[in-house]
């Protein structure tokens, strides 16, 4: 049975992991007969967003690991405890948390900084030639991890595509129900809610991503 490490970035599309994408990822992994372990960095979020109003909640702070534990039903570990040797694949759902808490792309674009533990774990998966999948806006992280004009997608948003290209990737436009594969580095990316307008569209995107990455040797 394949073992998958899933990295979360909080809880909630505007300041953490996109909840639909995260849950659909975990479900798809199970339906493919694999097992998962969730991880998240033990750091404070960039900020907290009131998801009812869309406004930043001034004076409020939340921890990425603690918030991610809501999605994982408490079964989660600090990212620095991720032992790459124990896993067959890596998957990162999207949400603004990937671009706010795992790196600062949402604020700084291609001049962004990256969480050290995140880079360390993802680069170790890459160096071990283990398959990895990044959804939605999370491929900005893959652009930094792999570089070398790695093929990936965030859908078709031009500004974001230019940003990932500036980080070293070669962006490929992609439909919501499809994936982009770079077989050389064993990377799978999909647009998910960068393009999806419903949970059913996100499901098609995420399911194909998970099926594709788990089929890689």
């Amino acid at each position: 049975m394949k073992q998958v490490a899933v990295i979360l970035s909080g809880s909630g599309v505007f300041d953490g992991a996109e909840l639909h994408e995260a849950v659909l990822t975990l479900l798809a992994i199970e339906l493919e007969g694999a097992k998962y372990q969730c991880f998240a960095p033990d750091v404070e979020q960039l900020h907290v967003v009131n998801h009812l109003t869309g406004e930043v909640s001034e004076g409020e702070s939340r921890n990425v690991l603690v918030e991610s534990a809501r999605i994982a039903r408490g079964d989660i570990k600090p990212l620095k405890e991720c032992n790459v040797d124990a896993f067959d694949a890596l998957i990162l759902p999207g949400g603004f948390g990937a671009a706010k808490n795992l790196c600062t792309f949402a604020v700084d674009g291609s001049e962004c900084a990256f969480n050290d533990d995140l880079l360390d774990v993802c680069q170790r998966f890459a160096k071990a030639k283990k398959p990895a999948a990044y959804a939605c806006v999370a491929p900005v992280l893959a652009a930094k991890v792999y570089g070398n004009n790695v093929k990936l997608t965030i859908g078709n948003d031009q500004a974001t595509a230019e940003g990932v290209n500036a980080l070293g990737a070669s962006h490929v436009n992609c439909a919501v129900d499809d994936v982009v594969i770079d077989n050389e580095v064993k990377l799978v990316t999909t647009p998910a809610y960068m393009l999806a307008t419903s949970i059913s569209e996100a499901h098609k995107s995420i399911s194909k991503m998970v099926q594709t990455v788990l089929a890689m040797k």
Side-chain angles (χ1 to χ4, degrees), residues 65-98:
L65 178 60
V66 172
E67 290 301 295
S68 298
R70 294 175 179 271
I71 299 173
R73 295 172 61 87
D75 184 11
I76 194 166
K77 297 179 180 180
L79 184 54
K80 63 177 56 181
E81 294 182 12
C82 181
N83 177 8
V84 173
D85 294 337
F87 296 96
D88 301 291
L90 169 70
I91 299 180
L92 282 82
F96 273 106

Side-chain angles (χ1 to χ4, degrees), residues 1-34:
M1 181 180 290
K2 289 191 173 182
Q3 306 290 327
V4 183
V6 178
I7 299 178
L8 301 176
S9 57
S11 178
V13 58
F14 299 126
D15 59 8
E18 210 296 320
L19 284 161
H20 293 174
E21 290 180 8
V23 173
L24 289 169
T25 294
L26 302 182
L27 176 60
I29 291 169
E30 260 195 21
L31 291 177
E32 290 301 307

